Amino acid sequence: MYLQLQMLKSSKLSNFSKQAAVTIFVIIFLGSSMAGYSQSQSARLWYKAPANYWEASLPLGNGRLGAMPDGGIFNENIVLNDITLWSGGRQDADQTNAAAHLSEIRQLLFAGKNIEAQQVMSRYFVSKGKGSGMGNGANVPYGSYQILGNLKLNYQYGADSSSLHPSGYHRELSLNDALATTRFTIDHTNFTREYFTSFDDDVVMVRLSASELKKISFVLKLSRPEHFKTKADGVEMQMYGQLNNGTDGKGMQYRVKVHIKHDGGNIIIKSNSLQLVNANSAIIYISPTTSYKNINYIKTGDQNLAKALSKPYAMERTAHIKKFQRLFHRVTLNLGSNAKDSLPTDKRLAAFALKADDPGLPALYFQYGRYLLISSTRPGLLPPNLQGLWANTVATPWNGDYHLNINIQMNHWLLDVTNLGVLNEPFYTLVKGLVKPGEQTAKTYYGANGWVAHVITNIWGYTSPGEDYSWGSFNTGSAWLCQMLWQHYEFSRDKAYLNLLYPILKGSAEFYLSALVKEPTHGWLVTAPSSSPENAFFLPDGKQANVCDGPTIDNQILRSLFAAAIVSSKELNKDGSFRHQLEIAIKKLPPDQVGKDGRLMEWLKEYKEVDPHHRHVSHLWGLYPGHEITTDNPKLADAAKASLIGRGDDGTGWSLAWKVNFWARLHDGGHSFQILRKLFRPVEGNTINMSNGGGSYINLFCAHPPFQIDGNFGGTAGIAEMLLQSQNGYLEFLPALPEQWKNGSFSGLCGRGGIEVSAKWISGKLQFVALKATVGHMVKIKVPDDQSGLTVTLNGKKLNAKVDDNFLHIFMKKGDLAKVKFD
């Protein structure tokens, strides 16, 4: 990992071929000996009609570029994206002299005067200026992730479209190959379109062909809602412009260059469009670039295009698939019959809502989540945002930014367990970029050392509170970022990475050591002011409040942060005095509390929540993604369960995904599956629903609604959590297996401690596991209660292993392969 990061620093961001060779430097498989234990299934989305709305289109991406073709027969729109295309720019949104009012706010909170504290905060303890623009920040300095453009194709078939009768329509996305296709027949001519965002030469490619000669004719146009110009010349067309930075209007610049390579026929330039007439076939090359960290972006785009044009289409296609599969094929999953793959995906979703007898659909959804992550991030660039890298508007919901109160973290829950840890670098780099501005924010608002970020951030390094105290005061978002980066170390055990991470962890812990304050009732150290994300409670006088001191989620996150910093300090043998301070402070954080109703308390006091079914279940952070609440502590586990029952089983898409993970940690596979089924509930439309409208669009995008990709990633993580857990210091196989997945297998999942695992089960009973060590250590495996005996081999030789108190211990060196067969 250290080598990866150093080489990335010296490589050009535009040269993805070079990056791929450096970054995806090793692919770990369990070897051919495991082939019989986990069979890959067909992984595709397919339909019998074109997409009639954006969320029905098929997403393609290579970590920088995105494309979503709708497959229209006569008129097709391909929505184009570049993950770096943002409006806005760097700004100082810190409220001057905010820290001068901190003592007053705290005194009011400790006196139970939350409303008065909020009134002070509304004036002095929010962001300066417009903040995020209340989630509509395209034209303020905060900015918004935006659509790159629309590539529109008007196809011509030599007759009036009303007289034509297409047949045999088929539209498909192959997850195995990262290819989309559209096929249909008109007047005995078979038409085929193939689309991909190249993992090789970093361009979008569309190939149009027909079973007869001279049948390919179309008019091509480029546009976007605003800030664009176009020009056409020869066989090429360009679209270019500059976005608004919210100050002087001179924001990020971009350019899209399109080239048509055609066999036969002629190209006519007409009204800023390109018209191809009577060709035998054609390939459309699309090469977008932006000025994000690249003043030579136009030259980069030209170079990418030239490389792609210099290769035969088949060679480019093969190289694209090969590079994509290096990551995608790391993991296989089989949960049972995939017979319903014969149904179009929209029909398959509808059928699952009526009867959940299709184990192939959760397996497809799992691999789709991995596909989306591979497609929406790339070392050297940016992590996936609220919509991955796909957007169809200049005003992307909630700016398409990075929310720090769950969303960016959920985007990475699947990262390590599904063997995609190599994609951690963009997340690490984004967080590292928050340290310097976060140090200023820490001083300005809290007079504190270290660094802090609050609820939201963007590519410009925003760390200030939000513009509204009701949601913008949550201040452990940065600590949660650190927990996710630390989790990557737990999986990889990469000491070079830990050396890079430690200053970030330390700086975050320094902030909280400096900013925590003693509350008067118990003498606990608490955050103040803060909030339980986006939730509200009733005060004793019946008034509603958001701001409080020491919400449960803060205490849980800080225990995790301090523990990570303590362990890191020990492993790196540095900062003994600082470590001692943390060891003292961690004992003074408020403990998890159980209320009179048996539920885990969300706040220090037993307030009644305004919305009992709120989408956030933040006080259960310690259950997942944290792990201080376990089934080994029945009191807290029962309180967590009671809290989940009280919240209910409905929610937004991402909230449902979180609940899948909660119930998996409670070892209730039946309930996890019940929530998963709700996550697959078919949804149409994108009207915002903040409570109970969650589900999936027909292209399997998660519906908040609107589309929000964290639910896809969280759902994939939840499926993995049902099959494998390692948070308690040992590997536990099938901890939350539902009865619907009685027979199955997987290969390539990862556990903490540097271990890659595979497993097979029949009738719900574990039959076989295989383990490959990526670092040397003692591997601890929980043996299922229903197993009477086992056989262990290490590197092909039988090992005399003993089971002690239901745990099997195997010492493994890096590269060792162990197999355990259960009787």
Side-chain angles (χ1 to χ4, degrees):
M1 179 63 72
Y2 177 76
L3 177 65
Q4 284 176 251
L5 295 177
Q6 295 304 309
M7 294 187 76
L8 278 166
K9 290 176 183 177
S10 64
S11 63
K12 295 181 179 179
L13 296 182
S14 60
N15 192 340
F16 183 54
S17 297
K18 179 179 177 182
Q19 285 186 343
V22 172
T23 307
I24 307 170
F25 68 101
V26 62
I27 305 298
I28 304 169
F29 292 99
L30 286 181
S32 59
S33 61
M34 284 304 300
Y37 294 98
S38 187
Q39 301 295 327
S40 296
Q41 294 179 325
S42 172
R44 63 173 183 164
L45 283 62
W46 74 277
Y47 310 86
K48 290 185 175 182
N52 57 11
Y53 56 96
W54 179 66
E55 295 88 352
S57 301
L58 298 175
L60 297 164
N62 67 1
R64 181 177 75 89
L65 302 177
M68 291 186 65
D70 63 19
I73 296 174
F74 301 105
N75 293 285
E76 179 169 35
N77 186 46
I78 303 175
V79 178
L80 302 174
N81 293 110
D82 183 316
I83 199 170
T84 66
L85 188 65
W86 270 73
S87 63
R90 293 196 178 275
Q91 62 169 321
D92 179 3
D94 289 342
Q95 190 79 259
T96 306
N97 296 323
H101 303 275
L102 180 61
S103 178
E104 178 186 4
I105 293 168
R106 286 172 168 171
Q107 290 174 13
L108 289 169
L109 288 174
F110 293 152
K113 298 180 179 180
N114 301 62
I115 302 301
E116 291 83 349
Q118 291 178 167
Q119 291 170 348
V120 176
M121 291 181 68
S122 68
R123 297 194 295 273
Y124 306 111
F125 224 78
V126 291
S127 66
K128 179 173 64 180
K130 294 183 180 298
S132 71
M134 297 304 289
N136 189 20
N139 293 307
V140 301
Y142 186 86
S144 177
Y145 179 62
Q146 297 195 357
I147 181 177
L148 175 63
N150 294 295
L151 188 149
K152 295 184 180 294
L153 294 163
N154 172 242
Y155 295 102
Q156 298 161 351
Y157 299 100
D160 186 274
S161 60
S162 62
S163 66
L164 300 176
H165 303 285
S167 62
Y169 186 92
H170 184 98
R171 181 168 61 98
E172 179 173 318
L173 172 64
S174 167
L175 303 188
N176 291 314
D177 299 330
L179 293 171
T181 54
T182 299
R183 300 192 303 270
F184 54 88
T185 300
I186 294 179
D187 288 344
H188 307 292
T189 299
N190 301 321
F191 292 88
T192 302
R193 305 173 194 160
E194 188 169 69
Y195 325 73
F196 62 92
T197 48
S198 178
F199 276 80
D200 188 38
D201 284 325
D202 208 10
V203 296
V204 182
M205 297 178 65
V206 182
R207 185 176 188 272
L208 310 172
S209 61
S211 61
E212 298 183 21
L213 299 179
K214 299 183 179 181
K215 292 293 185 179
I216 303 298
S217 298
F218 60 81
V219 176
L220 182 152
K221 293 183 178 181
L222 283 169
S223 66
R224 69 187 309 272
E226 60 184 20
H227 301 305
F228 79 98
K229 294 180 180 179
T230 60
K231 62 181 180 181
D233 182 20
V235 296
E236 293 185 338
M237 185 172 186
Q238 297 185 46
M239 180 175 70
Y240 53 95
Q242 185 170 30
L243 304 191
N244 186 4
N245 62 0
T247 51
D248 60 6
K250 297 178 181 179
M252 190 179 295
Q253 295 174 287
Y254 69 91
R255 199 273 306 262
V256 182
K257 192 171 187 178
V258 174
H259 181 106
I260 300 175
K261 181 187 286 188
H262 57 101
D263 173 26
N266 299 297
I267 287 185
I268 303 170
I269 300 173
K270 187 176 181 181
S271 301
N272 280 331
S273 66
L274 294 178
Q275 182 176 7
L276 178 63
V277 181
N278 297 334
N280 302 320
S281 64
I283 306 169
I284 303 171
Y285 296 81
I286 308 157
S287 181
T289 45
T290 77
S291 61
Y292 176 73
K293 296 185 178 180
N294 185 5
I295 60 173
N296 296 315
Y297 69 100
I298 292 178
K299 181 179 179 181
T300 299
D302 289 341
Q303 290 173 339
N304 291 344
L305 180 59
K307 286 181 185 178
L309 286 168
S310 69
K311 298 177 183 177
Y313 177 82
M315 182 182 293
E316 184 78 29
R317 182 184 188 275
T318 299
H320 156 75
I321 293 172
K322 184 177 180 180
K323 291 181 178 180
F324 167 76
Q325 289 180 346
R326 286 176 180 173
L327 286 177
F328 188 72
H329 280 178
R330 287 183 171 199
V331 172
T332 66
L333 176 62
N334 187 324
L335 296 176
S337 171
N338 196 38
K340 292 197 175 180
D341 176 64
S342 61
L343 286 176
T345 305
D346 52 337
K347 306 299 183 185
R348 193 175 188 182
L349 268 181
F352 195 86
L354 296 175
K355 188 176 182 181
D357 59 350
D358 178 10
L361 183 60
L364 173 66
Y365 190 88
F366 171 87
Q367 291 290 26
Y368 187 55
R370 296 183 67 250
Y371 166 86
L372 292 174
L373 184 60
I374 296 167
S375 300
S376 61
T377 189
R378 165 197 304 187
L381 284 178
L382 294 167
N385 58 49
L386 280 174
Q387 295 194 174
L389 58 63
W390 297 279
N392 67 332
T393 176
V394 296
T396 308
W398 297 287
N399 297 316
D401 69 2
Y402 302 102
H403 276 43
L404 311 188
N405 62 0
I406 190 170
N407 307 106
I408 189 174
Q409 294 91 345
M410 184 181 284
N411 280 4
H412 293 84
W413 283 354
L414 77 162
L415 182 86
D416 290 293
V417 68
T418 71
N419 214 332
L420 296 175
V422 71
L423 299 178
N424 180 68
E425 186 273 335
F427 183 36
Y428 163 86
T429 301
L430 182 84
V431 177
K432 183 181 179 182
L434 299 180
V435 172
K436 187 174 181 180
E439 290 173 343
Q440 176 184 302
T441 298
K443 289 291 186 186
T444 303
Y445 285 86
Y446 304 93
N449 301 322
W451 71 278
V452 68
H454 291 79
V455 186
I456 52 175
T457 193
N458 52 20
I459 69 169
W460 310 116
Y462 185 96
T463 56
S464 307
E467 60 270 23
D468 189 302
Y469 67 82
S470 66
W471 54 268
S473 59
F474 175 66
N475 73 5
T476 53
S478 46
W480 193 346
L481 294 175
C482 289
Q483 179 266 341
M484 289 298 302
L485 293 175
W486 166 254
Q487 179 173 283
H488 179 64
Y489 174 70
E490 290 185 300
F491 275 87
S492 69
R493 306 302 296 176
D494 183 340
K495 283 292 180 64
Y497 169 74
L498 183 60
N499 269 294
L500 294 171
L501 175 61
Y502 180 69
I504 299 174
L505 291 179
K506 182 183 177 183
S508 181
E510 282 179 325
F511 166 74
Y512 295 102
L513 271 182
S514 182
L516 288 172
V517 62
K518 186 180 293 186
E519 56 84 32
T521 304
H522 303 92
W524 292 328
L525 292 179
V526 298
T527 52
S530 191
S531 63
S532 190
E534 302 179 27
N535 207 355
F537 54 89
F538 289 109
L539 293 166
D541 62 4
K543 294 181 179 178
Q544 296 182 20
N546 299 90
V547 177
C548 64
D549 56 291
T552 297
I553 184 175
D554 284 9
N555 309 323
Q556 294 171 342
I557 290 177
L558 292 185
R559 268 191 289 275
S560 175
L561 172 66
F562 287 1
I566 289 168
V567 173
S568 300
S569 171
K570 289 179 179 178
E571 292 199 14
L572 298 175
N573 193 27
K574 59 175 60 175
D575 294 328
S577 176
F578 174 64
R579 179 169 69 242
H580 183 62
Q581 294 178 58
L582 292 175
E583 290 170 337
I584 294 173
I586 198 172
K587 297 175 183 178
K588 296 181 179 181
L589 295 172
D592 292 323
Q593 301 181 87
V594 179
K596 296 176 183 177
D597 58 4
R599 295 186 297 160
L600 199 71
M601 289 169 52
E602 189 164 356
W603 298 276
L604 286 186
K605 298 177 181 178
E606 198 167 358
Y607 296 123
K608 180 181 178 182
E609 61 267 65
V610 172
D611 179 4
H613 305 300
H614 198 271
R615 60 195 175 277
H616 283 268
V617 197
S618 301
H619 51 309
L620 299 193
W621 189 97
L623 176 63
Y624 188 95
H627 49 83
E628 67 178 45
I629 300 173
T630 73
T631 54
D632 293 332
N633 185 333
K635 179 181 178 182
L636 289 182
D638 288 345
K641 182 177 181 179
S643 295
L644 282 172
I645 292 172
R647 274 292 201 267
D649 289 345
D650 281 319
T652 60
W654 62 263
S655 179
L656 293 173
W658 199 2
K659 291 174 183 178
V660 172
N661 287 275
F662 284 143
W663 286 108
R665 283 283 173 91
L666 292 172
H667 292 179
D668 191 337
H671 214 133
S672 283
F673 185 83
Q674 179 180 327
I675 304 295
L676 192 66
R677 188 175 178 184
K678 288 179 177 288
L679 186 58
F680 295 169
R681 179 172 49 200
V683 173
E684 291 187 13
N686 55 16
T687 301
I688 293 177
N689 184 322
M690 301 297 286
S691 56
N692 59 3
S696 296
Y697 295 107
I698 67 169
N699 70 354
L700 299 190
F701 269 177
C702 179
H704 178 295
F707 163 51
Q708 202 167 293
I709 205 168
D710 47 2
N712 288 102
F713 295 144
T716 294
I719 293 170
E721 202 71 21
M722 295 164 75
L723 302 174
L724 176 71
Q725 295 183 19
S726 63
Q727 72 278 3
N728 295 320
Y730 54 83
L731 296 172
E732 184 173 9
F733 290 88
L734 312 182
L737 188 72
E739 63 178 3
Q740 291 85 356
W741 304 345
K742 292 179 180 179
N743 304 308
S745 60
F746 63 78
S747 68
L749 294 184
C750 295
R752 291 165 179 81
I755 196 76
E756 186 178 342
V757 301
S758 298
K760 179 182 180 181
W761 63 96
I762 297 175
S763 298
K765 291 189 176 183
L766 196 61
Q767 303 292 305
F768 177 94
V769 302
L771 311 97
K772 185 171 185 178
T774 57
V775 296
H777 70 298
M778 180 67 76
V779 179
K780 186 178 180 181
I781 304 169
K782 185 174 183 179
V783 178
D785 294 334
D786 58 1
Q787 300 295 342
S788 58
L790 51 84
T791 302
V792 182
T793 61
L794 182 64
N795 299 324
K797 297 180 180 180
K798 189 172 181 180
L799 189 67
N800 186 20
K802 294 183 179 180
V803 176
D804 183 18
D805 195 24
N806 274 1
F807 288 99
L808 173 67
H809 296 79
I810 307 173
F811 180 76
M812 301 180 69
K813 295 180 293 185
K814 181 179 179 180
D816 279 353
L817 177 64
K819 299 179 181 180
V820 183
K821 183 178 181 181
F822 297 93
D823 297 338

